[in-house]
Amino acid sequence: MGVMRRNLFLVLALFTALCISVRADLTPAQQTDAEYLINNGYSEATAEQVLILKNRYAGEPCEPLYEKKHNKFVRFLQNCYSYLDPSIDNEERYHHDIHQSPSVRDL
């Protein structure tokens, strides 16, 4: 009985050792890297959003990861909208003087 019990224990120990998953040690910085996210099936938009959130949290400037190609009419409309809306931060970085009280210059 002792030999059979010992063999059973060795087989169970071997089976347990083989079933343990082996994973590479990844840091959170590596797991949130844009290239890592895209290579693991996430979209470019998700990778760009993660990069922007990381930069905002770290207090670094936020820049787009990928440049989007549009025709001239769409770019013209985007530039007009970004000029009218001071909360939009685009590549041209229009300067808006934001004052807390209304004035004649707001018209």
Side-chain angles (χ1 to χ4, degrees):
M1 259 334 225
V3 174
M4 186 174 165
R5 190 176 291 173
R6 187 182 71 190
N7 289 341
L8 182 62
F9 176 72
L10 289 176
V11 168
L12 286 175
L14 180 64
F15 181 73
T16 303
L18 291 176
C19 290
I20 295 174
S21 64
V22 177
R23 297 184 183 191
D25 187 27
L26 291 174
T27 65
Q30 292 171 333
Q31 290 176 348
T32 56
D33 184 42
E35 183 178 348
Y36 178 82
L37 290 172
I38 291 171
N39 289 339
N40 284 303
Y42 291 96
S43 67
E44 292 177 356
T46 302
E48 185 174 23
Q49 187 67 25
V50 169
L51 178 69
I52 288 172
L53 290 175
K54 279 176 48 178
N55 286 345
R56 282 184 185 164
Y57 181 74
E60 298 173 0
C62 300
E63 296 183 8
L65 189 60
Y66 299 102
E67 293 294 326
K68 296 166 182 68
K69 304 290 183 189
H70 296 295
N71 61 21
K72 291 180 181 180
F73 181 70
V74 172
R75 277 186 281 154
F76 173 74
L77 290 178
Q78 285 177 340
N79 288 338
C80 288
Y81 182 72
S82 66
Y83 182 75
L84 294 174
D85 187 4
S87 66
I88 301 289
D89 188 23
N90 63 355
E91 292 84 24
E92 283 79 22
R93 312 246 193 270
Y94 289 115
H95 178 70
H96 294 278
D97 291 326
I98 299 174
H99 300 285
Q100 298 296 325
S101 59
S103 68
V104 177
R105 289 179 284 143
D106 293 339
L107 302 174

